[in-house]
Amino acid sequence: MERKILHVDVNSAFLSWTAVEMLKNGSTVDIREIPSVIGGDEEKRKGIVLAKSIPAKKYGIKTAEPIYFAKQKCPNLQIFKSNFKIYRQYSNAMYNILCQYTNRVERFSIDECFLDITEFIPKGKTDLQIAYEINHRIKQELGFTVNVGVAPNKILAKMASDFEKPDKVHTLYANEISSKMWNLPVSELFMVGKRSLPKLERLGIKTIGDLANRKKEEMVKVFGKFGKTIWEYANGIDFSEVISEPETPKCIGNSVTLPKDLSDLFKIEEVLLALTEQTAYRLRKHQLLAGTVGVQIRTKDFQNCSHQRTLLTPTSSTKIIYENAKQILEEFYHREPIRLIGIKLDHLKPTDNLQISLFDTKQNEKQSKLDKTIDNLKEKYGYNIITRAGKMETDDMMEFKE
DNA sequence: TCTGGGGTCCTAGGACCC
DNA sequence: TCTGGGGTCCTAGGACCC
């Protein structure tokens, strides 16, 4: 039987939510209506565009590009800081509305949800009417706009919500694939990024339709498994389910771009410790154990390098994780200046009940130790490596995969 | 003054075992 | 003297997403 899937996508999410919050706090200007971006702090070398207004987009400003470039494109660009605590509140408010339409809502990211409404369409209503109702209610009740895609599966619903923006509802039914999707450049297809695009173009594939009408075998031959996926997407084939249960993470990591390049091993290890504290704390919050520990560095000329190690026994102990991380780092780090360091815990498995109760009693102690370590670091270096707000952000981001 | 941080998934090559 | 092949696990790196 044909499914009825919706994809709800907040228009310029971080920017819209910042705008609504500013208006709520008495601002007289709606930053959605001027050239503006949400961006990181350039002084801390985190100066990239996280979200842009539509007027900013008209200057050719792109998400994830350096703010330095964005300012060159638009000298009077207004730049605002992100606030993930606020974003989480708006995201939750939207989620609560969506849950009134079906119990099958998947949070795909902080600003995107899939809904399977197949079994939840009231008599006398259509999927399209529900999509419009959702679009209206979010605008009226929460003050920001969303695009809604209506389709028989997730990939088509997602492609549909990406059509014209903002504040629009689009359908992409099976009989509309060729007329609405095949004429788009292949770069617009979900999962086609900047590496695979030139390869596709070399094969003479310029539009999604070009890809759809090639032989599947040819794509598999050139791209392997990935070729099968994008060929199926181009043809609107996707049987994946809307998953309402939040899955336990497959890996947990924290990394930080340093305000200045660092080559002093002692200082780098101090940062690594702070990152370990944070990551291990999150691991325990999920009641998981880590099977492998990995350390990543990025040199000042943007060369990435990572090493990992499988532990004899999975653990959630900050001490054990840090000892391993430190050893891994010392094995492969050769004193070149680095701009980023990160830690990643992988091959996660559930903690058994005995261990959970053990950690429950130690939770407060661990938390205060964490706070103390971070405080000491800040005093010592004056770096804003891990601020209180930064810690909140990390907690938020973890839950939303953003 | 140029380039974040959180993830998922895939691949290639080597070690090791039978 | 010459030198298999299948399978699993591990590691490093990379593509892609928001």
Side-chain angles (χ1 to χ4, degrees):
Chain A
M1 175 172 132
E2 179 148 284
R3 295 180 294 160
K4 302 287 187 187
I5 309 295
L6 306 184
H7 181 250
V8 180
D9 190 346
V10 180
N11 301 128
S12 313
F14 295 172
L15 192 118
S16 295
W17 290 334
T18 304
V20 173
E21 189 67 12
M22 285 172 69
L23 292 170
K24 205 195 276 180
N25 294 331
S27 170
T28 52
V29 47
D30 186 335
I31 64 167
R32 287 171 290 194
E33 292 163 4
I34 59 169
S36 65
V37 297
I38 305 299
D41 190 338
E42 282 181 287
E43 282 189 7
K44 291 181 198 153
R45 308 200 296 183
K46 298 174 186 202
I48 63 149
V49 174
L50 295 169
K52 60 194 181 293
S53 68
I54 289 169
K57 191 181 178 179
K58 289 187 179 143
Y59 285 85
I61 292 168
K62 295 189 177 72
T63 301
E65 88 173 323
I67 287 174
Y68 178 74
F69 292 158
K71 280 200 286 202
Q72 286 182 336
K73 291 175 182 174
C74 175
N76 63 340
L77 186 68
Q78 300 283 305
I79 300 157
F80 299 91
K81 285 208 171 90
S82 57
N83 183 341
F84 281 84
K85 205 175 168 181
I86 298 292
Y87 300 160
R88 182 183 176 166
Q89 289 169 12
Y90 283 106
S91 175
N92 288 344
M94 178 171 93
Y95 177 73
N96 289 338
I97 289 179
L98 299 181
C99 287
Q100 295 169 22
Y101 292 89
T102 167
N103 59 15
R104 301 191 57 192
V105 182
E106 176 177 341
R107 299 186 89 152
F108 189 64
S109 73
I110 193 167
D111 66 332
E112 289 181 38
C113 288
F114 287 103
L115 286 73
D116 186 335
I117 57 168
T118 312
E119 315 274 332
F120 300 88
I121 302 178
K123 276 220 159 39
K125 268 196 186 174
T126 65
D127 48 358
L128 191 57
Q129 286 170 333
I130 292 177
Y132 273 109
E133 190 178 318
I134 286 170
N135 166 280
H136 271 93
R137 278 193 60 194
I138 292 173
K139 189 165 38 182
Q140 292 305 313
E141 295 174 27
L142 305 178
F144 58 89
T145 64
V146 298
N147 264 35
V148 185
V150 186
N153 62 39
K154 286 166 78 174
I155 183 67
L156 291 175
K158 183 153 172 60
M159 292 302 296
S161 70
D162 209 31
F163 290 165
E164 195 193 358
K165 295 171 185 174
D167 196 18
K168 294 277 193 303
V169 175
H170 300 285
T171 62
L172 189 45
Y173 299 128
N175 63 2
E176 298 177 311
I177 292 172
S178 60
S179 61
K180 288 189 176 180
M181 189 168 81
W182 282 3
N183 57 327
L184 296 175
V186 72
S187 58
E188 303 271 302
L189 186 65
F190 182 67
M191 289 305 287
V192 173
K194 64 173 192 287
R195 294 286 175 180
S196 44
L197 182 64
K199 281 196 206 170
L200 288 163
E201 284 176 339
R202 240 174 283 140
L203 295 170
I205 294 168
K206 293 208 169 4
T207 67
I208 297 177
D210 292 340
L211 172 56
N213 290 300
R214 288 300 176 100
K215 285 233 157 44
K216 179 152 109 174
E217 295 70 34
E218 185 194 356
M219 291 302 114
V220 173
K221 208 171 175 182
V222 179
F223 295 99
K225 216 174 208 174
F226 178 74
K228 177 174 181 278
T229 303
I230 58 174
W231 184 88
E232 287 179 346
Y233 286 174
N235 282 284
I237 298 168
D238 175 21
F239 298 105
S240 66
E241 295 282 333
V242 174
I243 311 284
S244 40
E245 295 296 310
E247 287 178 80
T248 64
K250 305 238 177 357
C251 68
I252 295 179
N254 283 105
S255 62
V256 67
T257 295
L258 303 156
K260 281 185 179 147
D261 289 336
L262 233 44
S263 52
D264 178 338
L265 185 62
F266 183 73
K267 288 182 183 171
I268 292 169
E269 285 177 348
E270 293 265 34
V271 179
L272 186 61
L273 174 60
L275 292 168
T276 304
E277 292 274 10
Q278 222 178 171
T279 309
Y281 172 67
R282 290 171 54 204
L283 180 75
R284 292 190 292 267
K285 230 167 62 169
H286 281 284
Q287 298 180 349
L288 293 167
L289 302 172
T292 63
V293 177
V295 175
Q296 183 208 354
I297 59 172
R298 176 176 294 159
T299 61
K300 64 174 185 189
D301 49 345
F302 264 77
Q303 296 300 306
N304 294 311
C305 189
S306 68
H307 279 242
Q308 66 173 73
R309 172 188 286 187
T310 300
L311 303 173
L312 286 167
T313 333
T315 187
S316 66
S317 148
T318 300
K319 187 163 175 280
I320 294 172
I321 293 168
Y322 179 62
E323 279 164 2
N324 278 278
K326 202 172 138 174
Q327 278 176 25
I328 294 164
L329 177 73
E330 284 170 12
E331 274 167 27
F332 82 102
Y333 175 59
H334 301 300
R335 306 296 170 108
E336 64 272 36
I338 59 168
R339 67 137 48 214
L340 172 143
I341 179 146
I343 183 166
K344 189 171 82 150
L345 307 177
D346 224 322
H347 294 94
L348 310 183
K349 55 162 251 178
T351 311
D352 63 44
N353 290 332
L354 188 76
Q355 283 161 311
I356 290 170
S357 58
L358 204 70
F359 280 120
D360 278 344
T361 60
K362 292 195 171 176
Q363 201 67 274
N364 290 338
E365 189 191 326
K366 298 253 185 199
Q367 182 55 48
S368 63
K369 201 179 140 215
L370 165 71
D371 289 343
K372 202 166 178 185
T373 306
I374 292 166
D375 289 346
N376 286 345
L377 258 176
K378 286 178 72 177
E379 274 175 43
K380 210 159 185 174
Y381 297 121
Y383 287 146
N384 222 343
I385 290 167
I386 293 149
T387 61
R388 295 272 166 192
K391 199 149 73 69
M392 282 304 298
E393 283 185 25
T394 313
D395 289 350
D396 287 349
M397 310 256 285
M398 170 270 290
E399 287 177 39
F400 292 109
K401 296 193 274 179
E402 177 66 16

